Amino acid sequence: MANNFKKQEREELHKAIWNIANDLRGSVDGWDFKQYVLGIMFYRYISENITNYINEGEHEAGKNNFDYSKLSDSEAEQAREDMVKTKGFFILPSQLFCNVRTNANKYPKYKENLNETLEKIFKSIENSAKGSDSEDDFKGLFDDIDVNSNKLGATVAKRNEKLLKILDNIGDMKLGNYKDNTIDAFGDAYEFLMGMYASNAGKSGGEYYTPQEVSELLTKLTVVGKTEVNKVYDPACGSGSLLLNFAKVLGKDKVRQGFFGQEINLTTYNLCRINMFLHDIDYDKFNIACDDTLLSPQHWDEEPFEAIVSNPPYSIKWPGDEDIKLINDPRFAPAGVLAPKSKADLAFVMHSLSWLATNGTAAIVCFPGIFYRGGAEQKIRQYLIDNNFIDCIIQLPDNLFFGTSIATCIMVLKKSKKDNATLFIDASKYCVKVTNNNKLRTGQNGDIEKILKLFSERRDVENIAKVVSNEEIASNNYNLSVSTYVEKQETKEKIDIKELNAKIKEIVSHEDALRTEIDKIIKDLED
């Protein structure tokens, strides 16, 4: 019963989001539009978050009728210092989502200046964290919500009309109190929006989005046999969905020191921080940096990470051996060679290995070429195999990711292995087709659980899995393609003898008829 209710809740939420997107589609399209929806959703979330927190404290003190949203700003000011320390931010009652929405609908003059009001509120929320430990987590968080953009409308009045429509639509969404909700409503809404826009936006959206099922598999691979980890890390974290799967799989309190990541794209970096808040991860439990991970890593001083997951960008360019500093970088130097300038894939692998704890596991999405190409990439593979860092290579089905139909693989890294061998798994058939994409099935006996079982058991399974000595891999020029070691099952087609005989008779009969016709033509020509 509870599962049915949960499913119903989620379907209603998704339907509401889809209706918002359809209703407001037009001047602001697709991937751009998500900034407004997610930004305003975040604004609603933190408004309700701080209101609920203050109300609960006052109710526990016996003030049962207390409602923070009804206080005057001057009365509320006394809570500012404590809220910034506890929550990392502060919002005055007049700035709360519910009050802004009500006033904009009630008072025409208020609506006329809605864009300016929202801009001031967003700045005020950001400024409330200045000088505190949470400053970096709130700085620039609302930068992508341009309330004065022409995309919202050609005139100020039209922009405010659109902004109010967004406020109303998001205000009508049944998100409830996140503590009481049977689903992680805000977080689920975020993920649904990201998936919806990624699927419609092709590569422009897909580069930021890893399908939830792939995220779940990566997360579970890194925590096999564990109930908690010290902290988790993603060197190309995008919107943060990979990191946040640890909160779902283990529980956020079981990630003891928090969630860490780095993202080069400013917009996506902002979305990642918003995503952390929407999943109820407090500001002191995440550390997301905005910079180039390969050239300017931001977590040098951190204790190594027990769990690393990543879907790094595919074959991007980087300076490589043109930058003399990189060959001496302790992340890349051990291999004695740098990833090619046109293909930085293995640079991300080496970076992740460097950041990995001795007892840790890293699971990284990789594209096929890095497993068999020669040159520098072969030498890096040699380093990884000769030092026994590669635990497993998993071939995934094709067409799993938005924006590409190429079949990807997962490389699993460990620094403390029990054997001097590598496991190869062919999971290319473990999927179901959904619309234009393939999808990993979740739940008991689903594709994810089947892959995890093969990974955990670490034994040969005909046509599916093989444990290969690193010595044999070396003899194959360090080729890591799964197809090199796991033979494909021969598909023997069943032959219906009666049907085959009937077809042969038909062919022979047709052939006889043709021969008769040809003989007749020849005879006519001779005459």
Side-chain angles (χ1 to χ4, degrees):
M1 187 73 178
N3 281 341
N4 286 339
F5 183 66
K6 187 173 181 178
K7 184 182 177 185
Q8 185 183 343
E9 251 188 355
R10 182 170 277 113
E11 285 174 355
E12 285 179 7
L13 178 62
H14 291 179
K15 187 179 177 182
I17 295 168
W18 189 257
N19 288 339
I20 293 170
N22 280 334
D23 192 27
L24 300 171
R25 199 185 302 269
S27 57
V28 184
D29 285 325
W31 195 247
D32 288 328
F33 178 66
K34 81 183 184 315
Q35 257 80 273
Y36 293 97
V37 178
L38 293 172
I40 300 296
M41 191 185 297
F42 171 63
Y43 170 43
R44 174 183 164 180
Y45 171 79
I46 59 174
S47 294
E48 292 180 5
N49 185 288
I50 199 167
T51 301
N52 291 338
Y53 183 83
I54 294 172
N55 286 351
E56 284 171 12
E58 295 296 328
H59 294 165
E60 285 174 11
K63 299 179 183 177
N64 295 326
N65 295 320
F66 182 88
D67 185 351
Y68 179 71
S69 68
K70 300 289 192 289
L71 286 188
S72 68
D73 286 355
S74 56
E75 288 175 300
E77 274 292 346
Q78 61 185 339
R80 179 183 290 272
E81 188 177 344
D82 183 46
M83 284 302 99
V84 171
K85 282 181 183 175
T86 308
K87 287 288 178 185
F89 66 96
F90 183 66
I91 306 178
L92 289 165
S94 68
Q95 300 172 331
L96 293 169
F97 176 93
C98 61
N99 288 334
V100 170
R101 181 192 177 195
T102 298
N103 289 334
N105 277 292
K106 195 173 181 180
Y107 305 111
K109 282 287 183 188
Y110 194 98
K111 181 183 172 183
E112 282 178 19
N113 299 303
L114 182 58
N115 60 331
E116 291 179 10
T117 301
L118 286 172
E119 188 173 37
K120 286 175 185 174
I121 289 171
F122 296 156
K123 283 292 177 193
S124 177
I125 294 169
E126 193 178 310
N127 289 337
S128 72
K130 274 192 175 175
S132 72
D133 292 339
S134 61
E135 180 175 351
D136 287 344
D137 297 316
F138 281 86
K139 188 176 181 181
L141 208 50
F142 293 96
D143 281 359
D144 290 307
I145 311 171
D146 184 359
V147 293
N148 298 304
S149 172
N150 287 333
K151 290 180 179 180
L152 285 170
T155 65
V156 172
K158 286 181 178 177
R159 287 170 210 157
N160 285 331
E161 194 72 44
K162 186 84 76 172
L163 286 168
L164 181 53
K165 207 165 191 179
I166 296 172
L167 286 173
D168 282 338
N169 276 279
I170 288 172
D172 287 341
M173 286 168 64
K174 294 175 182 177
L175 297 171
N177 183 344
Y178 67 90
K179 286 184 179 175
D180 301 328
N181 220 297
T182 57
I183 59 169
D184 175 10
F186 280 97
D188 190 79
Y190 180 98
E191 285 163 10
F192 179 75
L193 268 165
M194 291 297 285
M196 184 175 78
Y197 285 123
S199 63
N200 290 332
K203 289 181 181 178
S204 64
E207 68 176 299
Y208 304 132
Y209 185 77
T210 305
Q212 272 301 304
E213 297 76 25
V214 179
S215 297
E216 183 181 333
L217 175 59
L218 290 166
T219 301
K220 288 184 173 179
L221 285 167
T222 66
V223 296
V224 167
K226 295 180 178 180
T227 56
E228 61 179 30
V229 292
N230 68 340
K231 51 190 178 176
V232 299
Y233 174 68
D234 183 347
C237 63
S239 61
S241 64
L242 281 174
L243 289 172
L244 286 162
N245 259 282
F246 287 94
K248 291 181 179 180
V249 172
L250 294 177
K252 65 176 184 175
D253 295 332
K254 296 296 184 181
V255 183
R256 298 188 302 273
Q257 296 173 43
F259 304 77
F260 294 74
Q262 188 161 340
E263 172 55 40
I264 193 169
N265 182 284
L266 181 60
T267 295
T268 320
Y269 161 68
N270 289 335
L271 289 176
C272 183
R273 291 185 294 160
I274 286 174
N275 203 4
M276 290 290 156
F277 285 115
L278 290 179
H279 282 81
D280 200 31
I281 307 296
D282 290 334
Y283 75 92
D284 57 347
K285 282 294 184 182
F286 70 84
N287 184 331
I288 309 298
C290 184
D291 214 324
D292 188 322
T293 299
L294 298 181
L295 304 182
S296 185
Q298 296 299 299
H299 298 100
W300 276 108
D301 301 327
E302 291 292 335
E303 174 190 329
F305 298 91
E306 209 171 323
I308 296 176
V309 287
S310 190
N311 177 17
Y314 168 50
S315 291
I316 59 165
K317 294 179 181 178
W318 77 310
D321 55 17
E322 281 183 1
D323 186 341
I324 197 165
K325 297 191 296 294
L326 289 174
I327 194 59
N328 295 315
D329 189 306
R331 296 171 296 162
F332 311 123
V337 66
L338 295 168
K341 291 192 288 287
S342 62
K343 300 175 181 71
D345 306 65
L346 283 171
F348 280 101
V349 170
M350 290 296 293
H351 169 86
S352 297
L353 179 66
S354 181
W355 257 232
L356 188 62
T358 305
N359 65 334
T361 303
I364 305 164
V365 175
C366 301
F367 279 77
I370 67 166
F371 294 116
Y372 58 79
R373 287 192 293 251
E377 290 178 312
Q378 182 181 342
K379 289 177 182 175
I380 294 172
R381 293 197 305 271
Q382 179 176 349
Y383 166 75
L384 295 170
I385 289 296
D386 286 352
N387 287 277
N388 201 27
F389 289 136
I390 298 181
D391 184 65
C392 181
I393 304 291
I394 302 168
Q395 176 72 60
L396 293 175
D398 59 11
N399 218 23
L400 280 181
F401 290 81
F402 299 115
T404 178
S405 59
I406 298 173
T408 52
C409 297
I410 295 174
M411 180 188 288
V412 181
L413 301 173
K414 286 185 180 178
K415 287 185 173 177
S416 301
K417 287 170 59 182
K418 293 178 181 176
D419 61 1
N420 197 36
T422 302
L423 172 65
F424 292 87
I425 297 173
D426 182 357
S428 58
K429 303 300 181 190
Y430 288 17
C431 64
V432 63
K433 190 168 181 63
V434 179
T435 60
N436 295 326
N437 282 78
N438 287 324
K439 185 175 181 178
L440 299 176
R441 286 162 287 200
T442 58
Q444 195 173 9
N445 297 320
D447 301 313
I448 292 173
E449 290 307 315
K450 287 176 184 175
I451 294 169
L452 289 169
K453 188 171 186 287
L454 291 165
F455 176 74
S456 301
E457 291 180 352
R458 200 172 178 80
R459 63 183 178 84
D460 291 357
V461 178
E462 191 176 2
N463 305 124
I464 296 174
K466 189 169 179 63
V467 179
V468 182
S469 72
N470 290 340
E471 188 178 358
E472 182 181 340
I473 295 171
S475 71
N476 280 321
N477 295 317
Y478 297 94
N479 187 318
L480 294 176
S481 299
V482 172
S483 59
T484 302
Y485 306 99
V486 180
E487 290 183 15
K488 292 279 186 187
Q489 187 173 7
E490 290 183 22
T491 54
K492 294 181 179 178
E493 193 179 343
K494 274 192 172 184
I495 298 171
D496 187 321
I497 298 298
K498 286 183 179 179
E499 188 180 336
L500 181 62
N501 276 332
K503 281 185 178 178
I504 290 171
K505 278 183 182 179
E506 188 182 330
I507 291 167
V508 170
S509 175
H510 186 58
E511 192 178 61
D512 287 343
L514 284 174
R515 174 52 57 192
T516 302
E517 286 295 319
I518 292 169
D519 288 344
K520 190 177 177 183
I521 292 167
I522 292 172
K523 190 172 184 301
D524 288 344
L525 287 171
E526 287 175 345
D527 292 343

